[in-house]
Amino acid sequence: MTQYIYLASPVNLPEGTYGLNPVSPEQPNIFETELDFAHLSFENNYNRESNSRFSFSPHFNYHYQVACSNNFLFLKEGLKGNATDEKCLGLLHSYIGNALQASGIVEYYTSWNGEEALPITSKRSIPWANIKTLYDLVLTDREFWEITL
């Protein structure tokens, strides 16, 4: 199964891939190192076929949501503290910071694929100013945060 990070906001959240560093624009699928390939991809909750939004989890209060497949980020139990962790946590930190600047509030949740509706294991409200290091963003499974600016 795949671990996902989900974010929800009262304003539209951008989708896309962040952090890829290919050797050149002409060779977008070739990377010098594994760190150059480490990235985060955010997919929104808009279904183009039905022209409608769906919710990634019933726990969210906001209409606009993104999912980030957790291939390069780990739960607290699996975190290695290496350069890849730091790069991807930095990308996540930047993404959340930008979302907070746009809306003032972001809901932040993680779960295994298919378990998004299971009960939340831990829920808290946290001011963005309390996120002192990148590692403060690492959650446990089905942990839910409301982050405010």
Side-chain angles (χ1 to χ4, degrees):
M1 287 199 316
T2 302
Q3 185 79 26
Y4 279 88
I5 287 175
Y6 300 100
L7 298 167
S9 172
V11 300
N12 195 32
L13 293 166
E15 67 177 337
T17 300
Y18 300 85
L20 285 174
N21 187 24
V23 294
S24 72
E26 295 78 31
Q27 297 176 309
N29 296 322
I30 299 175
F31 304 90
E32 284 188 30
T33 67
E34 284 186 42
L35 190 59
D36 289 338
F37 179 68
H39 65 282
L40 297 180
S41 294
F42 295 90
E43 175 184 340
N44 70 25
N45 63 331
Y46 184 75
N47 183 322
R48 285 164 180 59
E49 290 180 13
S50 65
N51 293 323
S52 63
R53 292 202 178 271
F54 59 91
S55 184
F56 286 117
S57 172
H59 303 301
F60 285 128
N61 296 303
Y62 300 112
H63 188 66
Y64 299 100
Q65 302 170 20
V66 291
C68 177
S69 170
N70 204 356
N71 295 332
F72 292 103
L73 291 173
F74 297 94
L75 297 171
K76 285 188 179 179
E77 303 80 34
L79 201 64
K80 297 176 182 77
N82 59 22
T84 300
D85 288 345
E86 296 217 357
K87 177 182 178 181
C88 291
L89 284 169
L91 294 167
L92 180 62
H93 185 273
S94 177
Y95 187 95
I96 292 172
N98 290 338
L100 283 168
Q101 291 300 318
S103 69
I105 190 166
V106 170
E107 292 175 327
Y108 175 44
Y109 177 62
T110 186
S111 75
W112 291 101
N113 187 33
E115 297 183 356
E116 298 86 356
L118 290 178
I120 293 169
T121 58
S122 174
K123 186 173 185 175
R124 62 188 252 193
S125 183
I126 183 166
W128 185 239
N130 285 8
I131 306 295
K132 304 290 186 196
T133 74
L134 299 176
Y135 291 94
D136 291 340
L137 289 174
V138 180
L139 302 177
T140 59
D141 188 35
R142 296 195 329 268
E143 189 170 355
F144 186 100
W145 290 4
E146 178 184 79
I147 305 172
T148 54
L149 194 55

